[in-house]
Amino acid sequence: MKLKKAKITNYRSVKDSGWIEFEPGKTIFVGPNEAGKTALLRALQQINPPNDVPNFAALRDYPRGDYNQITRKEVDPAHVDVVVAHFEPSPEDRAAVAEEFRRHDYVCGRRLDNSFWHKFEGAPGKKTTDDIKKDLQRFAAHVDSRVEALSPTLSEQLSTILDKNYWLSGAKADAIKKWLEKHYPHLDESNAAEEERYDRLVKACDKNDVEAAALDAMRGRLPLFVLFSNYFRVRPLIHLEHLATRIEKKLLDDDQYDYGNQCLLNLLGFSARELSDLGKAAEPGVNDADALQDYRDQLDRRSYQLNAASVQLTREIVKVWNPNPDRAEADRLRITADGQYLKVVVEDDLGVEIELDQRSEGFQWLVSFFVVFFSETKGKHANAILLLDEPGLSLHALKQRDFRDTISKLAEVNQTVFTTHSPFLVGPGELDLVRVIEMKDRTAGTKAHTTVTADDPAALLPLQEALGYDLAQSLFAHQRNLVLEGLTDFWYLEATAELLRASGHASLNEKIALISANKASKVVYFATILHAHNLKVAALLDSDAAGDQAAQQDVLVNALGAKRIIRTRDNYTGPVSKPEIEDLLRETLVLVAKKSLGWDISNEATAMPGRPIVDIFEEKVPGFSKYKLAKAYVRWTRENDATSLAPHEQTQWSALMTKINQALK
């Protein structure tokens, strides 16, 4: 089950976040400090939190400036939705519920009083006795007309049954169903309308209970939301007696080391007191064979469980942490107990044991993360959504870039949402995964933007720095360079090239660097600078007015030559006279927009085949965004292959890729 979208309201700095769309793999929240990124993660966790995670508390979690609304009884916490989430069930999830509910998405929410509600999106509402009242009255009248001896008559009995409106479920539904079954033999079996009415009434009596069972099944399959903060760290050396005493006296610091230490003990299957008592226990005398055996069994159980946890953590860490592929660095993690001390050490490739706190901050973070992750999910980590608050913050800037791959590997198994204000944790090809979080002023509260936009320039700074750094690093690093008009052109070309490449079609040379100039008028600047450094450069321009103006600039023509100024119309086979890059995907984009965004322009696109598809979208879709359309297409390519493109689209794009390759060979 994947989280599709969610909305947070009335939680700390968040008045109304707006709907936040989530990617099937990883989603990135970027924004400045105090924007509310952590608040969003904490609210999301309450959809389905692990055990012992504190619930909502109106005193601390309702927006502080509005809290008097609760004290004056103007707002009832039982009626305040804090988080509402929409999920897309997997085929296995859908198979677990009645067929009539399999096509619906699952929606759930958590209110400020911590009550939980859920439903199937688009499914008919719950039935009440009022919904079937007329059918029941007609059923009773029909039976009364055929049976004279009934006293009281069915119509008279019905007035008692329908004394007021009830939910049609549980005992009430069972009573009505038994009443129907009792009098069913009195129906005229040749009367098809009455037979159909009876079947309809019985189905209505069962409907709510069937839906309730389906909802219960979905809730049981709801992913666990595991929040991990940089504050959750595991100590390399834990004094068990001290920790046990503090736990018993409730003197713990939940937000810092104690939480990580408790998770470690939970993972090991011991309480701090149990391990402490084992460390203090004296070995029985050799003459007491039973006591000696019990003592040895306890020690063996401790040793085996510590070893099993060490192996599990080591296995997972090796998967995602390998700073030097040529050398197995710190491959083995060991958890050992010695008297009153629980130690976490790392064995290096020479067999030397090094305390965890002597390793890098990044490695400590990863060990602590997996301890919390495995502890809180308790074997259910395959069905968990990870919420990471500022991961890898202590890493060097370039190491953060490597750590992007670590998060991507985690996201292959577990849907992941993480916050960051570091430009190095956002890849140049990941801008469609970004949600910009900002708080322009306290009265409006935290807002989430699905598009890469914000009123506060500071919110976009990580993205600008990420793009600037990658551009600076790659601008003169590749021998072959293709300059594109804008970011959406970059996405269409990169996504379609990968789609064709995966299916064995002619595709873009992987050695060609794609560079977005932001607008057609800036293509000439990028192209001439790269050309001046003796690099191979080509430009891909739309065939609209802006593209024509850029293509006709003498500086660009002199720098590149006519053969390296590629236009979208060069390989376009349709009737649009001035096609843009979207017109090369016209049919697919119409389908993607309808399915993913609810923008249905299929009739208009068919009626006006010679009009650019973007113009039709802009006219017919309120609030149309080229960014949203391109992002929806990128997401679509991850779930489809090249055969899903229309045949002429495959031909056009393969020809375009070939032309680009030839221009830069």
Side-chain angles (χ1 to χ4, degrees):
M1 189 181 299
K2 297 290 187 182
L3 178 64
K4 288 178 61 177
K5 64 179 182 178
K7 180 165 70 171
I8 290 89
T9 53
N10 297 303
Y11 181 75
R12 300 190 181 185
S13 67
V14 188
K15 299 291 185 68
D16 185 346
S17 68
W19 285 106
I20 309 171
E21 297 178 0
F22 293 88
E23 301 296 330
K26 69 178 179 180
T27 302
I28 309 169
F29 286 177
V30 304
N33 290 329
E34 301 296 319
K37 302 186 298 296
T38 300
L40 293 176
L41 293 189
R42 290 188 177 277
L44 285 171
Q45 187 183 33
Q46 293 296 329
I47 296 171
N48 190 28
N51 295 332
D52 301 326
V53 170
N55 294 327
F56 289 134
L59 177 63
R60 289 176 171 77
D61 294 330
Y62 197 71
R64 192 64 52 85
D66 299 329
Y67 183 69
N68 57 0
Q69 295 174 347
I70 293 179
T71 59
R72 293 198 304 259
K73 309 295 184 183
E74 295 173 3
V75 172
D76 183 354
H79 297 152
V80 177
D81 281 328
V82 177
V83 56
V84 177
H86 289 240
F87 291 87
E88 182 175 1
S90 67
E92 294 78 14
D93 295 327
R94 297 187 190 279
V97 301
E99 187 172 356
E100 60 193 286
F101 299 108
R102 290 178 184 172
R103 62 186 180 87
H104 300 287
D105 284 349
Y106 179 65
V107 183
C108 65
R110 184 79 66 176
R111 300 187 180 95
L112 188 58
D113 69 341
N114 295 295
S115 59
F116 179 89
W117 61 265
H118 53 180
K119 66 179 182 178
F120 288 105
E121 185 179 21
K126 288 185 176 181
K127 292 284 187 182
T128 67
T129 50
D130 275 0
D131 293 327
I132 62 170
K133 185 174 182 178
K134 291 181 179 179
D135 271 347
L136 285 172
Q137 289 170 337
R138 292 189 179 101
F139 173 86
H142 173 77
V143 174
D144 286 344
S145 69
R146 292 176 53 79
V147 183
E148 298 179 359
L150 285 176
S151 180
T153 65
L154 256 63
S155 296
E156 292 170 338
Q157 295 176 33
L158 193 59
S159 64
T160 302
I161 295 173
L162 301 178
D163 59 334
K164 60 182 179 180
N165 195 24
Y166 297 93
W167 289 116
L168 198 57
S169 59
K172 192 66 178 179
D174 290 341
I176 293 175
K177 189 174 177 181
K178 289 179 180 178
W179 184 81
L180 288 166
E181 292 171 347
K182 178 180 178 181
H183 299 290
Y184 172 71
H186 299 306
L187 288 184
D188 180 0
E189 62 183 17
S190 65
N191 190 326
E194 291 300 328
E195 291 285 347
E196 290 175 3
R197 178 178 291 114
Y198 174 83
D199 291 339
R200 189 164 61 246
L201 285 167
V202 171
K203 185 176 181 180
C205 289
D206 291 336
K207 191 263 180 189
N208 286 356
D209 288 338
V210 172
E211 182 176 10
L215 287 170
D216 287 344
M218 281 297 183
R219 185 172 184 182
R221 304 175 76 88
L222 194 63
L224 197 66
F225 282 71
V226 178
L227 172 63
F228 185 78
S229 166
N230 280 312
Y231 294 113
F232 300 160
R233 291 296 179 92
V234 175
R235 288 183 185 272
L237 190 65
I238 303 170
H239 192 284
L240 296 167
E241 174 62 30
H242 290 172
L243 180 59
T245 301
R246 290 167 61 222
I247 290 174
E248 291 162 359
K249 293 184 177 181
K250 299 182 179 180
L251 299 174
L252 296 176
D253 182 357
D254 291 333
D255 289 333
Q256 307 239 359
Y257 282 110
D258 285 330
Y259 182 78
N261 294 338
Q262 287 188 89
C263 285
L264 176 59
L265 292 169
N266 190 31
L267 176 65
L268 299 177
F270 289 100
S271 69
R273 177 56 63 196
E274 285 176 320
L275 283 178
S276 175
D277 289 345
L278 276 175
K280 292 185 292 185
E283 184 174 351
V286 293
N287 295 326
D288 191 345
D290 291 339
L292 186 61
Q293 184 61 46
D294 289 342
Y295 176 73
R296 289 176 177 171
D297 287 345
Q298 284 183 309
L299 292 181
D300 285 344
R301 183 168 70 90
R302 181 180 70 174
S303 175
Y304 296 159
Q305 288 183 234
L306 294 179
N307 182 64
S310 301
V311 171
Q312 182 185 25
L313 289 171
T314 298
R315 185 186 303 121
E316 296 301 326
I317 288 168
V318 167
K319 289 180 182 178
V320 295
W321 182 273
N322 191 9
N324 185 351
D326 298 326
R327 185 170 72 86
E329 181 178 328
D331 279 345
R332 188 160 182 235
L333 194 75
R334 292 188 59 208
I335 305 170
T336 61
D338 181 10
Q340 286 301 305
Y341 288 94
L342 187 68
K343 297 177 64 177
V344 182
V345 298
V346 182
E347 184 179 297
D348 66 14
D349 55 341
L350 298 176
V352 177
E353 292 185 352
I354 305 170
E355 283 76 10
L356 180 61
D357 61 348
Q358 294 184 31
R359 292 304 311 272
S360 69
E361 284 286 321
F363 190 81
Q364 291 182 57
W365 181 92
L366 194 66
V367 171
S368 301
F369 162 72
F370 277 117
V371 167
V372 173
F373 180 39
F374 288 129
S375 170
E376 290 195 334
T377 56
K378 294 184 184 299
K380 298 179 181 178
H381 50 273
N383 187 35
I385 292 177
L386 307 183
L387 308 173
L388 308 181
D389 195 13
E390 297 288 355
L393 192 62
S394 58
L395 297 176
H396 181 273
L398 295 180
K399 182 58 182 174
Q400 287 183 13
R401 293 169 60 84
D402 295 335
F403 197 69
R404 283 205 313 254
D405 295 333
T406 297
I407 299 176
S408 295
K409 290 176 182 178
L410 291 171
E412 290 175 2
V413 179
N414 298 95
Q415 192 174 9
T416 301
V417 183
F418 73 91
T419 68
T420 187
H421 47 74
S422 167
F424 300 98
L425 287 177
V426 183
E430 296 180 341
L431 293 187
D432 61 314
L433 311 180
V434 168
R435 308 294 179 262
V436 179
I437 311 301
E438 68 168 342
M439 182 164 54
K440 189 177 180 182
D441 59 72
R442 290 283 175 181
T443 56
T446 297
K447 297 289 183 183
H449 299 279
T450 297
T451 58
V452 181
T453 183
D455 294 327
D456 181 3
L460 296 177
L461 187 61
L463 304 183
Q464 294 167 346
E465 291 180 346
L467 287 173
Y469 182 85
D470 279 286
L471 183 59
Q473 290 294 304
S474 65
L475 195 56
F476 306 108
H478 294 83
Q479 185 64 28
R480 299 173 176 83
N481 300 271
L482 179 67
V483 183
L484 305 167
E485 287 188 17
L487 184 59
T488 55
D489 294 27
F490 180 102
W491 286 344
Y492 283 124
L493 190 63
E494 184 180 54
T496 308
E498 184 58 36
L499 201 66
L500 294 172
R501 187 178 296 116
S503 299
H505 290 67
S507 187
L508 194 67
N509 184 340
E510 294 185 78
K511 294 182 179 180
I512 295 175
L514 303 180
I515 299 171
S516 170
N518 195 35
K519 59 174 65 175
S521 61
K522 292 185 177 180
V523 169
V524 62
Y525 301 116
F526 281 84
T528 51
I529 290 172
L530 291 166
H531 178 72
H533 283 75
N534 297 317
L535 301 174
K536 293 182 179 180
V537 187
L540 175 62
L541 299 168
D542 285 337
S543 297
D544 57 3
D548 287 342
Q549 185 176 1
Q552 292 167 7
Q553 294 188 49
D554 291 339
V555 175
L556 185 65
V557 174
N558 292 335
L560 304 187
K563 291 184 179 180
R564 288 186 177 172
I565 301 177
I566 303 166
R567 308 299 303 279
T568 49
R569 64 169 170 258
D570 293 347
N571 300 104
Y572 173 70
T573 58
V576 178
S577 60
K578 294 185 176 182
E580 300 176 40
I581 196 167
E582 289 87 354
D583 291 301
L584 275 67
L585 292 165
R586 185 184 184 94
E587 291 186 20
T588 297
L589 290 182
V590 169
L591 295 175
V592 169
K594 180 178 179 180
K595 180 179 179 182
S596 300
L597 303 171
W599 299 345
D600 188 1
I601 64 159
S602 50
N603 292 335
E604 291 83 354
T606 301
M608 297 180 283
R611 189 176 180 188
I613 196 65
V614 168
D615 290 355
I616 299 176
F617 274 117
E618 288 178 339
E619 180 180 314
K620 299 297 179 181
V621 178
F624 168 72
S625 164
K626 291 180 70 172
Y627 173 91
K628 285 186 178 180
L629 181 62
K631 184 176 131 183
Y633 174 73
V634 171
R635 188 183 297 115
W636 177 86
T637 61
R638 293 173 182 150
E639 302 168 354
N640 291 271
D641 56 33
T643 60
S644 299
L645 296 171
H648 69 278
E649 292 174 343
Q650 297 178 42
T651 302
Q652 289 174 165
W653 278 91
S654 291
L656 175 62
M657 302 293 180
T658 300
K659 188 176 184 68
I660 294 170
N661 291 341
Q662 290 175 344
L664 292 171
K665 65 181 180 180

